[in-house]
Amino acid sequence: MGIVQDSIDSMNPQGLSLWCLVLPTLFAILGAATYLVTLASHMWTRYNGKDGQEKLKRWHSQDWGDNTPLSVQLPAFRGYLITQPEHFGPLLKATRFLSNKKVMAELMRDVFGTPPRVMPLYLGDNSGIEAKPIQGTSVPEYQRIWNSQHADSAKYLTGDALRGLAARFTSILSEAMSKADPHDPADSGEWVTIEDFYPWWRARVFAAATTALFGPHLLRLNPTLEQDFWNFADSIPTLAKRYPAWMAPRAHAARNKMLDNVKRWHAHAREKSEYRSCGDDAPNWDEYWGSRWLKVRQRWGQDTNIMDDDGLASEDLALAIAWASSANANAIPMAFWYLIEIYRDPSLLSRVLPELENAVKSPVSPGRDEPAAFDISCVLSSPLAQSIYAEVLRMRISLLLNRCPDKKDHRIGPWILRKGAYMTLSTAYIGYHGKAWELYTDSGRAPINEFWAERFLVPSDKITPPPALAKVKAPTERPLDTRETSEQKPRFSTKHLDGIWVPYGGGALMCPGRHFAKQEMMGSVAVFAHYYDLEVMTGKAPPMNDKFYGMGAQQPSEKTPVRIRRKVGG
């Protein structure tokens, strides 16, 4: 201490003045350099213009092949990129040894704004998702958030609850589309040109999907909710990279606006309706809370003694994005791709349209004000309509499925992945894997990088295992060959695609809302086809927006000009 003091005392005033100038300047230069390097990295990732899917496929297959896991730096963490087709199925099913809890907790914090005081609820729950806690854990039942989310979503997105939710969505959408907008040229009854079909489409479906789950008051209390939602959805890739507010002010502002919207709705719903009245004998739907599921979530969160208003808002913001396999952020774009694929091909449309029209149970008649009623069960069971649905998801869902061995090291083939390491599986990578899909290309006439409506249709006789997956599990079915005789009635199936058709993930962590997502997607297409005619002017689907690679449903990167005409209603 004496040496330090002597050195300070020996400095002359001029030296002290010099250091007072130099040190702040050095810190400023270092800070600016750090900012510029980080900003340059962000701008390169955001605006380089190359397609992420093609980069990933070309980079790994050309440089490394499919023979080894590869350590890569992803937006928010470093992980092992798994690309061997035979490993996808087993890894996704190994939920006893692998979880996505770590990634989900970080997403709640970084993307959905869960405050630090609430994060221990997510990070401290090591008891698993099953009803019986993992042996050796001691998390109180009222704080087992992963089990609660898993059990409740399964309960309210299946069976009678699912059917009621899907019917409500279709009814709300039909009622909205039955009313012509005098300010919308598309409702004039004449053929008109719309410069970009996607925003026109999503504006009409968003309100129906939101009202079906959350009730009417979330939208009523927040008139700008739709635009706020899409502003936030567009900001998710930036938030996932963990940029602080001073570097990404728009992204953070978009999230805060949505959180304020949810908190405003929560406060109103709590004032008007008792959320604790949510037992099995309570109505399945409430004007203020929407689905009974929302009241159950509110009660559970309040009873944790950790959740507060901010934490509850983050929870329901995540649900607004991700419910029913992202009913808004995923199902709306996927229904867009479904419409574009069938309406750009007149021969395909002529086959699909009669099946969609079968869903109309009480069509709109001249002079009637009532909207058409729908029963989409016939569409959901149609082999061709389902095959188009599965093909659209294969091509346009891009997720990075993350798993982590949080108990001990995990063996995959000849390799051992260390405890705590991330494993990442790209659905877009495996969905376009040439060898894995080799038998599903109509003998080469339908390349895997092109849309083929019949790719998921199978006959019922012979068995042929795909070579890429033969070591894992021989499939029970083979794909349809269009050269086969017409007597063979095809049927829809994905059972033979274990581990390579994974738009919803796999195993116990598979998206619990996948059933509603399918019904929303196909139901909205059936409703649209009843009220409107459509022509895709370019005759082709637009390219996908690389910004959303790994984030779920891919959105179009270019405008989609169409000709449209109202057929009935209004």
Side-chain angles (χ1 to χ4, degrees), residues 71-99:
S71 178
V72 295
Q73 180 66 49
L74 295 168
F77 56 85
R78 177 172 290 277
Y80 294 104
L81 182 65
I82 307 297
T83 57
Q84 298 75 21
E86 65 270 20
H87 295 325
F88 270 61
L91 281 175
L92 292 175
K93 290 179 179 178
T95 48
R96 280 188 60 197
F97 312 103
L98 307 172
S99 82

PDB file of all heavy atoms in Angstrom, residues 71-99:
ATOM      1  N   SER A  71     -19.604 -28.254 -34.060  1.00  0.00           N
ATOM      2  CA  SER A  71     -19.794 -27.175 -33.094  1.00  0.00           C
ATOM      3  C   SER A  71     -19.926 -25.861 -33.845  1.00  0.00           C
ATOM      4  O   SER A  71     -19.053 -25.493 -34.632  1.00  0.00           O
ATOM      5  CB  SER A  71     -18.613 -27.119 -32.126  1.00  0.00           C
ATOM      6  OG  SER A  71     -18.772 -26.058 -31.214  1.00  0.00           O
ATOM      7  N   VAL A  72     -21.050 -25.148 -33.620  1.00  0.00           N
ATOM      8  CA  VAL A  72     -21.300 -23.898 -34.321  1.00  0.00           C
ATOM      9  C   VAL A  72     -21.766 -22.847 -33.334  1.00  0.00           C
ATOM     10  O   VAL A  72     -22.329 -23.144 -32.286  1.00  0.00           O
ATOM     11  CB  VAL A  72     -22.368 -24.064 -35.431  1.00  0.00           C
ATOM     12  CG1 VAL A  72     -21.871 -24.991 -36.517  1.00  0.00           C
ATOM     13  CG2 VAL A  72     -23.672 -24.566 -34.847  1.00  0.00           C
ATOM     14  N   GLN A  73     -21.546 -21.581 -33.698  1.00  0.00           N
ATOM     15  CA  GLN A  73     -22.035 -20.454 -32.904  1.00  0.00           C
ATOM     16  C   GLN A  73     -23.368 -20.005 -33.486  1.00  0.00           C
ATOM     17  O   GLN A  73     -23.425 -19.486 -34.593  1.00  0.00           O
ATOM     18  CB  GLN A  73     -21.038 -19.300 -32.913  1.00  0.00           C
ATOM     19  CG  GLN A  73     -21.495 -18.091 -32.099  1.00  0.00           C
ATOM     20  CD  GLN A  73     -21.580 -18.409 -30.612  1.00  0.00           C
ATOM     21  OE1 GLN A  73     -20.651 -18.966 -30.035  1.00  0.00           O
ATOM     22  NE2 GLN A  73     -22.696 -18.076 -29.995  1.00  0.00           N
ATOM     23  N   LEU A  74     -24.436 -20.216 -32.752  1.00  0.00           N
ATOM     24  CA  LEU A  74     -25.765 -19.790 -33.155  1.00  0.00           C
ATOM     25  C   LEU A  74     -26.029 -18.405 -32.568  1.00  0.00           C
ATOM     26  O   LEU A  74     -25.213 -17.892 -31.801  1.00  0.00           O
ATOM     27  CB  LEU A  74     -26.789 -20.833 -32.696  1.00  0.00           C
ATOM     28  CG  LEU A  74     -26.595 -22.191 -33.400  1.00  0.00           C
ATOM     29  CD1 LEU A  74     -27.408 -23.259 -32.713  1.00  0.00           C
ATOM     30  CD2 LEU A  74     -26.962 -22.102 -34.855  1.00  0.00           C
ATOM     31  N   PRO A  75     -27.170 -17.773 -32.898  1.00  0.00           N
ATOM     32  CA  PRO A  75     -27.384 -16.388 -32.467  1.00  0.00           C
ATOM     33  C   PRO A  75     -27.119 -16.126 -30.997  1.00  0.00           C
ATOM     34  O   PRO A  75     -26.526 -15.121 -30.649  1.00  0.00           O
ATOM     35  CB  PRO A  75     -28.858 -16.161 -32.817  1.00  0.00           C
ATOM     36  CG  PRO A  75     -29.082 -17.011 -34.011  1.00  0.00           C
ATOM     37  CD  PRO A  75     -28.257 -18.239 -33.764  1.00  0.00           C
ATOM     38  N   ALA A  76     -27.556 -17.034 -30.103  1.00  0.00           N
ATOM     39  CA  ALA A  76     -27.439 -16.733 -28.676  1.00  0.00           C
ATOM     40  C   ALA A  76     -26.561 -17.711 -27.914  1.00  0.00           C
ATOM     41  O   ALA A  76     -26.353 -17.526 -26.727  1.00  0.00           O
ATOM     42  CB  ALA A  76     -28.827 -16.689 -28.047  1.00  0.00           C
ATOM     43  N   PHE A  77     -26.057 -18.750 -28.579  1.00  0.00           N
ATOM     44  CA  PHE A  77     -25.256 -19.726 -27.843  1.00  0.00           C
ATOM     45  C   PHE A  77     -24.473 -20.594 -28.816  1.00  0.00           C
ATOM     46  O   PHE A  77     -24.737 -20.621 -30.012  1.00  0.00           O
ATOM     47  CB  PHE A  77     -26.156 -20.610 -26.961  1.00  0.00           C
ATOM     48  CG  PHE A  77     -27.244 -21.319 -27.724  1.00  0.00           C
ATOM     49  CD1 PHE A  77     -27.014 -22.527 -28.354  1.00  0.00           C
ATOM     50  CD2 PHE A  77     -28.511 -20.752 -27.801  1.00  0.00           C
ATOM     51  CE1 PHE A  77     -28.005 -23.167 -29.055  1.00  0.00           C
ATOM     52  CE2 PHE A  77     -29.514 -21.386 -28.511  1.00  0.00           C
ATOM     53  CZ  PHE A  77     -29.267 -22.602 -29.142  1.00  0.00           C
ATOM     54  N   ARG A  78     -23.498 -21.312 -28.286  1.00  0.00           N
ATOM     55  CA  ARG A  78     -22.736 -22.275 -29.068  1.00  0.00           C
ATOM     56  C   ARG A  78     -23.294 -23.661 -28.829  1.00  0.00           C
ATOM     57  O   ARG A  78     -23.635 -24.017 -27.708  1.00  0.00           O
ATOM     58  CB  ARG A  78     -21.259 -22.229 -28.684  1.00  0.00           C
ATOM     59  CG  ARG A  78     -20.385 -23.257 -29.408  1.00  0.00           C
ATOM     60  CD  ARG A  78     -18.910 -23.030 -29.132  1.00  0.00           C
ATOM     61  NE  ARG A  78     -18.449 -21.812 -29.786  1.00  0.00           N
ATOM     62  CZ  ARG A  78     -18.077 -21.745 -31.056  1.00  0.00           C
ATOM     63  NH1 ARG A  78     -18.103 -22.829 -31.816  1.00  0.00           N
ATOM     64  NH2 ARG A  78     -17.671 -20.612 -31.572  1.00  0.00           N
ATOM     65  N   GLY A  79     -23.440 -24.424 -29.886  1.00  0.00           N
ATOM     66  CA  GLY A  79     -24.001 -25.754 -29.738  1.00  0.00           C
ATOM     67  C   GLY A  79     -23.467 -26.708 -30.796  1.00  0.00           C
ATOM     68  O   GLY A  79     -22.712 -26.317 -31.693  1.00  0.00           O
ATOM     69  N   TYR A  80     -23.878 -27.971 -30.673  1.00  0.00           N
ATOM     70  CA  TYR A  80     -23.517 -28.991 -31.646  1.00  0.00           C
ATOM     71  C   TYR A  80     -24.617 -29.078 -32.690  1.00  0.00           C
ATOM     72  O   TYR A  80     -25.772 -29.359 -32.363  1.00  0.00           O
ATOM     73  CB  TYR A  80     -23.343 -30.351 -30.978  1.00  0.00           C
ATOM     74  CG  TYR A  80     -22.183 -30.426 -30.022  1.00  0.00           C
ATOM     75  CD1 TYR A  80     -22.394 -30.406 -28.648  1.00  0.00           C
ATOM     76  CD2 TYR A  80     -20.867 -30.531 -30.483  1.00  0.00           C
ATOM     77  CE1 TYR A  80     -21.337 -30.476 -27.753  1.00  0.00           C
ATOM     78  CE2 TYR A  80     -19.804 -30.606 -29.605  1.00  0.00           C
ATOM     79  CZ  TYR A  80     -20.039 -30.573 -28.240  1.00  0.00           C
ATOM     80  OH  TYR A  80     -18.991 -30.648 -27.360  1.00  0.00           O
ATOM     81  N   LEU A  81     -24.294 -28.840 -33.948  1.00  0.00           N
ATOM     82  CA  LEU A  81     -25.251 -28.959 -35.036  1.00  0.00           C
ATOM     83  C   LEU A  81     -25.297 -30.424 -35.467  1.00  0.00           C
ATOM     84  O   LEU A  81     -24.310 -30.985 -35.916  1.00  0.00           O
ATOM     85  CB  LEU A  81     -24.830 -28.068 -36.198  1.00  0.00           C
ATOM     86  CG  LEU A  81     -25.767 -28.044 -37.403  1.00  0.00           C
ATOM     87  CD1 LEU A  81     -27.101 -27.432 -37.022  1.00  0.00           C
ATOM     88  CD2 LEU A  81     -25.126 -27.260 -38.548  1.00  0.00           C
ATOM     89  N   ILE A  82     -26.476 -31.033 -35.323  1.00  0.00           N
ATOM     90  CA  ILE A  82     -26.654 -32.441 -35.675  1.00  0.00           C
ATOM     91  C   ILE A  82     -27.307 -32.515 -37.043  1.00  0.00           C
ATOM     92  O   ILE A  82     -28.383 -31.945 -37.250  1.00  0.00           O
ATOM     93  CB  ILE A  82     -27.536 -33.164 -34.640  1.00  0.00           C
ATOM     94  CG1 ILE A  82     -26.992 -32.943 -33.221  1.00  0.00           C
ATOM     95  CG2 ILE A  82     -27.641 -34.638 -34.965  1.00  0.00           C
ATOM     96  CD1 ILE A  82     -25.619 -33.497 -32.980  1.00  0.00           C
ATOM     97  N   THR A  83     -26.681 -33.200 -37.996  1.00  0.00           N
ATOM     98  CA  THR A  83     -27.229 -33.255 -39.357  1.00  0.00           C
ATOM     99  C   THR A  83     -27.386 -34.677 -39.883  1.00  0.00           C
ATOM    100  O   THR A  83     -27.857 -34.863 -41.000  1.00  0.00           O
ATOM    101  CB  THR A  83     -26.326 -32.473 -40.329  1.00  0.00           C
ATOM    102  OG1 THR A  83     -25.005 -33.003 -40.279  1.00  0.00           O
ATOM    103  CG2 THR A  83     -26.300 -30.999 -39.975  1.00  0.00           C
ATOM    104  N   GLN A  84     -27.001 -35.670 -39.112  1.00  0.00           N
ATOM    105  CA  GLN A  84     -27.146 -37.034 -39.565  1.00  0.00           C
ATOM    106  C   GLN A  84     -28.615 -37.456 -39.455  1.00  0.00           C
ATOM    107  O   GLN A  84     -29.176 -37.469 -38.357  1.00  0.00           O
ATOM    108  CB  GLN A  84     -26.274 -37.988 -38.730  1.00  0.00           C
ATOM    109  CG  GLN A  84     -24.779 -37.709 -38.826  1.00  0.00           C
ATOM    110  CD  GLN A  84     -24.361 -36.484 -38.024  1.00  0.00           C
ATOM    111  OE1 GLN A  84     -25.048 -36.058 -37.099  1.00  0.00           O
ATOM    112  NE2 GLN A  84     -23.241 -35.902 -38.384  1.00  0.00           N
ATOM    113  N   PRO A  85     -29.292 -37.815 -40.557  1.00  0.00           N
ATOM    114  CA  PRO A  85     -30.718 -38.124 -40.512  1.00  0.00           C
ATOM    115  C   PRO A  85     -31.076 -39.208 -39.506  1.00  0.00           C
ATOM    116  O   PRO A  85     -32.121 -39.141 -38.866  1.00  0.00           O
ATOM    117  CB  PRO A  85     -31.021 -38.581 -41.947  1.00  0.00           C
ATOM    118  CG  PRO A  85     -29.985 -37.922 -42.786  1.00  0.00           C
ATOM    119  CD  PRO A  85     -28.749 -37.877 -41.933  1.00  0.00           C
ATOM    120  N   GLU A  86     -30.182 -40.212 -39.351  1.00  0.00           N
ATOM    121  CA  GLU A  86     -30.515 -41.318 -38.453  1.00  0.00           C
ATOM    122  C   GLU A  86     -30.535 -40.914 -36.987  1.00  0.00           C
ATOM    123  O   GLU A  86     -31.035 -41.660 -36.138  1.00  0.00           O
ATOM    124  CB  GLU A  86     -29.532 -42.474 -38.651  1.00  0.00           C
ATOM    125  CG  GLU A  86     -28.084 -42.168 -38.276  1.00  0.00           C
ATOM    126  CD  GLU A  86     -27.276 -41.608 -39.418  1.00  0.00           C
ATOM    127  OE1 GLU A  86     -27.901 -41.097 -40.396  1.00  0.00           O
ATOM    128  OE2 GLU A  86     -26.033 -41.672 -39.365  1.00  0.00           O
ATOM    129  N   HIS A  87     -30.015 -39.729 -36.651  1.00  0.00           N
ATOM    130  CA  HIS A  87     -29.977 -39.293 -35.252  1.00  0.00           C
ATOM    131  C   HIS A  87     -31.163 -38.422 -34.862  1.00  0.00           C
ATOM    132  O   HIS A  87     -31.410 -38.220 -33.673  1.00  0.00           O
ATOM    133  CB  HIS A  87     -28.679 -38.525 -34.970  1.00  0.00           C
ATOM    134  CG  HIS A  87     -27.438 -39.351 -35.090  1.00  0.00           C
ATOM    135  ND1 HIS A  87     -27.396 -40.680 -34.720  1.00  0.00           N
ATOM    136  CD2 HIS A  87     -26.182 -39.046 -35.539  1.00  0.00           C
ATOM    137  CE1 HIS A  87     -26.181 -41.154 -34.946  1.00  0.00           C
ATOM    138  NE2 HIS A  87     -25.439 -40.184 -35.433  1.00  0.00           N
ATOM    139  N   PHE A  88     -31.885 -37.861 -35.835  1.00  0.00           N
ATOM    140  CA  PHE A  88     -32.960 -36.914 -35.515  1.00  0.00           C
ATOM    141  C   PHE A  88     -34.035 -37.565 -34.649  1.00  0.00           C
ATOM    142  O   PHE A  88     -34.399 -37.043 -33.590  1.00  0.00           O
ATOM    143  CB  PHE A  88     -33.576 -36.351 -36.798  1.00  0.00           C
ATOM    144  CG  PHE A  88     -32.904 -35.100 -37.289  1.00  0.00           C
ATOM    145  CD1 PHE A  88     -31.562 -35.107 -37.644  1.00  0.00           C
ATOM    146  CD2 PHE A  88     -33.605 -33.918 -37.396  1.00  0.00           C
ATOM    147  CE1 PHE A  88     -30.931 -33.970 -38.112  1.00  0.00           C
ATOM    148  CE2 PHE A  88     -32.983 -32.757 -37.859  1.00  0.00           C
ATOM    149  CZ  PHE A  88     -31.646 -32.789 -38.214  1.00  0.00           C
ATOM    150  N   GLY A  89     -34.589 -38.678 -35.122  1.00  0.00           N
ATOM    151  CA  GLY A  89     -35.673 -39.333 -34.385  1.00  0.00           C
ATOM    152  C   GLY A  89     -35.285 -39.717 -32.966  1.00  0.00           C
ATOM    153  O   GLY A  89     -35.970 -39.349 -32.002  1.00  0.00           O
ATOM    154  N   PRO A  90     -34.175 -40.468 -32.782  1.00  0.00           N
ATOM    155  CA  PRO A  90     -33.773 -40.863 -31.432  1.00  0.00           C
ATOM    156  C   PRO A  90     -33.504 -39.687 -30.498  1.00  0.00           C
ATOM    157  O   PRO A  90     -33.862 -39.723 -29.324  1.00  0.00           O
ATOM    158  CB  PRO A  90     -32.499 -41.682 -31.674  1.00  0.00           C
ATOM    159  CG  PRO A  90     -32.658 -42.230 -33.048  1.00  0.00           C
ATOM    160  CD  PRO A  90     -33.371 -41.152 -33.815  1.00  0.00           C
ATOM    161  N   LEU A  91     -32.880 -38.606 -31.004  1.00  0.00           N
ATOM    162  CA  LEU A  91     -32.597 -37.469 -30.140  1.00  0.00           C
ATOM    163  C   LEU A  91     -33.881 -36.754 -29.717  1.00  0.00           C
ATOM    164  O   LEU A  91     -34.022 -36.346 -28.561  1.00  0.00           O
ATOM    165  CB  LEU A  91     -31.667 -36.490 -30.860  1.00  0.00           C
ATOM    166  CG  LEU A  91     -30.179 -36.867 -30.895  1.00  0.00           C
ATOM    167  CD1 LEU A  91     -29.402 -35.879 -31.747  1.00  0.00           C
ATOM    168  CD2 LEU A  91     -29.589 -36.931 -29.506  1.00  0.00           C
ATOM    169  N   LEU A  92     -34.819 -36.610 -30.629  1.00  0.00           N
ATOM    170  CA  LEU A  92     -36.056 -35.919 -30.292  1.00  0.00           C
ATOM    171  C   LEU A  92     -36.923 -36.720 -29.335  1.00  0.00           C
ATOM    172  O   LEU A  92     -37.730 -36.153 -28.593  1.00  0.00           O
ATOM    173  CB  LEU A  92     -36.842 -35.601 -31.573  1.00  0.00           C
ATOM    174  CG  LEU A  92     -36.198 -34.555 -32.485  1.00  0.00           C
ATOM    175  CD1 LEU A  92     -36.990 -34.407 -33.779  1.00  0.00           C
ATOM    176  CD2 LEU A  92     -36.079 -33.206 -31.793  1.00  0.00           C
ATOM    177  N   LYS A  93     -36.749 -38.034 -29.344  1.00  0.00           N
ATOM    178  CA  LYS A  93     -37.554 -38.879 -28.457  1.00  0.00           C
ATOM    179  C   LYS A  93     -36.904 -39.090 -27.088  1.00  0.00           C
ATOM    180  O   LYS A  93     -37.565 -39.557 -26.157  1.00  0.00           O
ATOM    181  CB  LYS A  93     -37.790 -40.244 -29.111  1.00  0.00           C
ATOM    182  CG  LYS A  93     -38.717 -40.181 -30.312  1.00  0.00           C
ATOM    183  CD  LYS A  93     -38.896 -41.553 -30.922  1.00  0.00           C
ATOM    184  CE  LYS A  93     -39.852 -41.514 -32.110  1.00  0.00           C
ATOM    185  NZ  LYS A  93     -40.001 -42.840 -32.739  1.00  0.00           N
ATOM    186  N   ALA A  94     -35.640 -38.757 -26.953  1.00  0.00           N
ATOM    187  CA  ALA A  94     -34.910 -39.061 -25.717  1.00  0.00           C
ATOM    188  C   ALA A  94     -35.163 -38.014 -24.635  1.00  0.00           C
ATOM    189  O   ALA A  94     -34.230 -37.440 -24.071  1.00  0.00           O
ATOM    190  CB  ALA A  94     -33.415 -39.182 -26.014  1.00  0.00           C
ATOM    191  N   THR A  95     -36.429 -37.765 -24.313  1.00  0.00           N
ATOM    192  CA  THR A  95     -36.753 -36.711 -23.359  1.00  0.00           C
ATOM    193  C   THR A  95     -36.433 -37.097 -21.916  1.00  0.00           C
ATOM    194  O   THR A  95     -36.454 -36.243 -21.032  1.00  0.00           O
ATOM    195  CB  THR A  95     -38.234 -36.326 -23.477  1.00  0.00           C
ATOM    196  OG1 THR A  95     -39.034 -37.509 -23.475  1.00  0.00           O
ATOM    197  CG2 THR A  95     -38.490 -35.575 -24.768  1.00  0.00           C
ATOM    198  N   ARG A  96     -36.153 -38.369 -21.656  1.00  0.00           N
ATOM    199  CA  ARG A  96     -35.710 -38.753 -20.311  1.00  0.00           C
ATOM    200  C   ARG A  96     -34.314 -38.221 -20.034  1.00  0.00           C
ATOM    201  O   ARG A  96     -33.942 -38.000 -18.882  1.00  0.00           O
ATOM    202  CB  ARG A  96     -35.696 -40.285 -20.175  1.00  0.00           C
ATOM    203  CG  ARG A  96     -37.046 -40.914 -19.922  1.00  0.00           C
ATOM    204  CD  ARG A  96     -36.888 -42.383 -19.615  1.00  0.00           C
ATOM    205  NE  ARG A  96     -36.062 -42.610 -18.429  1.00  0.00           N
ATOM    206  CZ  ARG A  96     -35.502 -43.778 -18.132  1.00  0.00           C
ATOM    207  NH1 ARG A  96     -35.642 -44.813 -18.942  1.00  0.00           N
ATOM    208  NH2 ARG A  96     -34.778 -43.899 -17.030  1.00  0.00           N
ATOM    209  N   PHE A  97     -33.539 -38.034 -21.090  1.00  0.00           N
ATOM    210  CA  PHE A  97     -32.137 -37.642 -20.920  1.00  0.00           C
ATOM    211  C   PHE A  97     -31.846 -36.236 -21.446  1.00  0.00           C
ATOM    212  O   PHE A  97     -30.846 -35.627 -21.067  1.00  0.00           O
ATOM    213  CB  PHE A  97     -31.237 -38.637 -21.658  1.00  0.00           C
ATOM    214  CG  PHE A  97     -31.566 -40.077 -21.371  1.00  0.00           C
ATOM    215  CD1 PHE A  97     -32.264 -40.850 -22.290  1.00  0.00           C
ATOM    216  CD2 PHE A  97     -31.221 -40.658 -20.159  1.00  0.00           C
ATOM    217  CE1 PHE A  97     -32.580 -42.166 -22.018  1.00  0.00           C
ATOM    218  CE2 PHE A  97     -31.535 -41.968 -19.877  1.00  0.00           C
ATOM    219  CZ  PHE A  97     -32.221 -42.724 -20.812  1.00  0.00           C
ATOM    220  N   LEU A  98     -32.718 -35.744 -22.331  1.00  0.00           N
ATOM    221  CA  LEU A  98     -32.479 -34.454 -22.968  1.00  0.00           C
ATOM    222  C   LEU A  98     -33.689 -33.555 -22.773  1.00  0.00           C
ATOM    223  O   LEU A  98     -34.824 -34.014 -22.818  1.00  0.00           O
ATOM    224  CB  LEU A  98     -32.240 -34.636 -24.478  1.00  0.00           C
ATOM    225  CG  LEU A  98     -31.158 -35.641 -24.883  1.00  0.00           C
ATOM    226  CD1 LEU A  98     -31.183 -35.852 -26.400  1.00  0.00           C
ATOM    227  CD2 LEU A  98     -29.783 -35.169 -24.448  1.00  0.00           C
ATOM    228  N   SER A  99     -33.467 -32.274 -22.559  1.00  0.00           N
ATOM    229  CA  SER A  99     -34.578 -31.330 -22.410  1.00  0.00           C
ATOM    230  C   SER A  99     -34.269 -30.070 -23.192  1.00  0.00           C
ATOM    231  O   SER A  99     -33.136 -29.826 -23.609  1.00  0.00           O
ATOM    232  CB  SER A  99     -34.810 -30.995 -20.934  1.00  0.00           C
ATOM    233  OG  SER A  99     -33.904 -30.001 -20.497  1.00  0.00           O
TER     234      SER A  99
END
